[in-house]
């Protein structure tokens, strides 16, 4: 599949000063901004937060995605400690069970949309099972998710998560909420972000990236016949395919905004202090030194540096269960049309739909765990 670069951020002109792996645009204000598309330039920005700190939103404390230095280290340590306690076997079991529920109607009809009816739903549902809340709270969070635009999703999730955190204080359930409350209460982990705010950021970014990864991998299965044959015959594993897709497509397509702390040269262009930077990870993947290798550990599919994704293994487990469930449950699957034009969000790129037909099957057909 081709991997076109992301368009410039909203409001950017379509042209600018082109450097090596970078395009500098004149912004609507006095501060210029640049889109970084080269692999070496992307690594330079991501690995040097002192030179290229994250930008923060006015009016609120910096969060996991836009904090730097000690503040980011405390936030990340708390989130990583909470995530380390996940029962991955239980998560896989829940992901497979949710996949069956979503795929059964498609299998019975023989036609469906693997984006709107499946990939856009499953990752969030699987992650919600880790919180330790009841079904009512999970349904409320899912409803908020699907009725909010991507940029507003983290903030939209906070009220329901605040209530869930309060309930967990009264009666600890032992899930992700309990562990995150404990982690943020430890000396050295104190932050201005509440457990609900940290949870909202983690859920929103994790679900969106895993949705994109799952959808991109399903497109590879449907539109690259040799890929499906390799999986069915056992010459390639699902984990290998997922890693290849992550390397060339980047589930997190664009990082949060950076800004130059001082005047600095990048890509042969001198950027003045205060230049806003957008790192296009999908475009940078095209110039990765490991591109095309079976095991490309240099890719930027999950970012790099201090802000690298804190839980790629969790995303991999859910995406792997999602892809394997489609292969197991939908027989003689055929795409209805060619790959649809992607929908570009703030940080992810996903297809608008993935229309398929398959041989109708009995709802009771078991899917092996």
């Amino acid at each position: 599949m081709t991997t076109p670069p992301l368009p410039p951020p909203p409001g950017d002109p379509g042209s600018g000063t082109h450097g090596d792996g970078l395009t500098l645009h004149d912004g609507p204000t006095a501060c210029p901004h640049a889109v970084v598309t080269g692999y070496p330039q992307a690594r330079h920005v991501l690995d040097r937060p002192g030179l290229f700190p994250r930008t923060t939103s006015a009016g609120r404390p910096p969060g996991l995605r836009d904090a730097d230095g000690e503040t980011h280290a405390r936030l990340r340590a708390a989130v990583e400690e909470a995530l380390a306690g996940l029962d991955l076997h239980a998560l896989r079991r829940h992901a497979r069970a949710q996949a069956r529920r979503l795929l059964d109607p498609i299998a019975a009809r023989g036609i469906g949309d693997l984006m709107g009816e499946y990939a856009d739903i499953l990752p969030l549902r699987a992650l919600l099972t880790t919180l330790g809340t009841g079904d009512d709270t999970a349904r409320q969070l899912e409803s908020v998710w699907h009725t909010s635009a991507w940029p507003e999703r983290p903030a939209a999730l906070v009220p329901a998560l605040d209530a869930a955190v309060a309930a967990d204080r009264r009666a600890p359930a032992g899930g992700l909420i309990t562990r995150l409350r404990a982690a943020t209460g430890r000396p050295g982990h104190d932050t201005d972000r509440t457990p609900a705010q940290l949870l909202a950021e983690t859920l929103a970014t994790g679900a969106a990236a895993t949705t994109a990864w799952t959808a991109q991998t399903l497109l590879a299965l449907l539109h690259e016949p040799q890929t499906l044959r390799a999986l069915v015959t056992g010459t390639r594993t699902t984990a290998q395919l997922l890693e290849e897709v992550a390397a060339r497509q980047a589930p997190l397509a664009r990082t949060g905004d950076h800004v130059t702390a001082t005047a600095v040269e990048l890509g042969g262009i001198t950027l003045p202090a205060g230049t806003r930077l957008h790192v296009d990870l999908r475009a940078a993947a095209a110039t990765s030194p490991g591109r095309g290798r079976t095991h490309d550990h240099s890719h930027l599919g999950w970012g790099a540096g201090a802000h690298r994704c804190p839980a790629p293994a969790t995303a991999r487990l859910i995406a792997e269960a999602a892809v394997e469930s489609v292969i197991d449950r939908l027989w003689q699957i055929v795409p209805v049309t060619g790959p649809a034009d992607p929908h570009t969000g703030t940080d992810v790129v996903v297809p608008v739909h993935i229309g398929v037909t398959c041989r109708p099957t009995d709802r009771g057909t078991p899917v092996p765990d």
Side-chain angles (χ1 to χ4, degrees):
M1 288 184 293
T2 58
T3 306
L6 288 173
D12 285 5
S15 62
T17 303
H18 295 276
D20 186 11
L22 173 140
T23 302
L24 179 64
H25 301 279
D26 292 327
T29 66
C31 295
H33 42 279
V35 179
V36 180
T37 55
Y39 180 90
Q41 294 75 24
R43 287 303 304 254
H44 190 77
V45 172
L46 297 173
D47 291 338
R48 292 165 177 81
L51 278 177
F52 306 98
R54 292 293 184 106
T55 59
T56 58
S57 300
R60 68 171 178 82
L64 186 64
R65 287 174 52 76
D66 52 14
D68 280 307
E70 292 184 5
T71 299
H72 177 263
R74 290 196 301 270
L75 292 168
R76 188 176 177 100
V79 170
E80 287 182 336
E81 180 179 324
L83 291 173
L86 285 179
D87 183 340
L88 297 183
H89 293 290
L91 178 58
R92 178 178 175 81
R93 186 171 63 252
H94 286 305
R96 292 282 288 186
Q98 294 290 348
R100 279 196 292 268
R101 294 188 184 99
L102 293 170
L103 291 173
D104 275 350
I106 297 175
R109 293 193 310 264
I111 189 170
D113 175 10
L114 287 181
M115 186 64 213
E117 295 182 81
Y118 187 64
D120 196 33
I121 301 173
L122 178 60
L124 179 67
R125 280 194 183 173
L127 288 172
L128 290 177
T129 65
T130 69
L131 298 184
T133 64
D135 291 342
D136 289 344
T137 299
R139 281 191 291 268
Q140 181 184 3
L141 290 167
E142 186 174 344
S143 174
V144 170
W145 174 269
H146 289 295
T147 55
S148 304
W150 161 248
E152 287 78 42
R153 278 176 173 172
L157 292 171
V158 169
L161 287 171
D162 264 330
V165 170
D168 193 80
R169 285 196 182 96
R170 295 190 295 270
L176 185 60
I177 292 177
T178 302
R179 292 194 299 276
L180 188 58
R181 284 198 305 103
T184 54
R186 298 192 197 289
H189 289 186
D190 54 305
T191 87
D192 290 331
R193 304 293 276 169
T194 67
Q197 290 169 324
L198 279 177
L199 277 171
E201 290 180 281
T202 304
L203 282 175
T205 304
T210 309
T211 289
W213 198 12
T214 300
Q216 292 157 4
T217 306
L218 291 175
L219 284 177
L221 283 178
L222 292 168
H223 297 284
E224 300 172 13
Q226 72 279 8
T227 297
L228 182 57
R229 284 196 299 270
L231 288 181
V232 172
T233 59
T235 57
R236 185 192 284 178
T237 66
T238 308
Q240 288 173 333
L241 173 60
L242 284 164
E243 200 63 24
E244 291 168 17
V245 171
R248 70 188 184 190
Q249 296 287 85
L252 286 172
R254 179 184 281 152
T255 68
D257 290 349
H258 299 257
V259 64
T260 54
T262 61
V264 62
E265 183 176 324
L266 184 67
I269 298 176
T270 299
L271 305 177
T275 301
R276 293 174 68 91
L277 296 170
H278 311 271
V279 180
D280 183 344
L281 296 176
R282 281 164 56 92
T287 55
S288 166
R291 184 173 175 82
R293 297 177 188 168
T294 303
H295 301 289
D296 175 15
H297 298 294
S298 65
H299 73 76
L300 297 176
W302 299 106
H307 286 272
R308 190 178 189 275
C309 171
T314 303
R316 184 179 296 109
L317 183 150
I318 295 172
E320 188 171 354
V323 173
E324 289 176 350
S325 295
V326 168
I327 296 172
D328 292 341
R329 189 70 183 94
L330 303 185
W331 303 341
Q332 298 177 1
I333 186 170
V334 176
V336 172
T337 60
D341 290 336
H343 167 69
T344 303
T346 302
D347 300 296
V348 296
V349 176
V350 296
V352 176
H353 61 84
I354 306 176
V356 297
T357 60
C358 60
R359 193 181 84 193
T361 60
D362 179 75
R363 286 177 180 266
T365 304
V367 179
D369 288 316

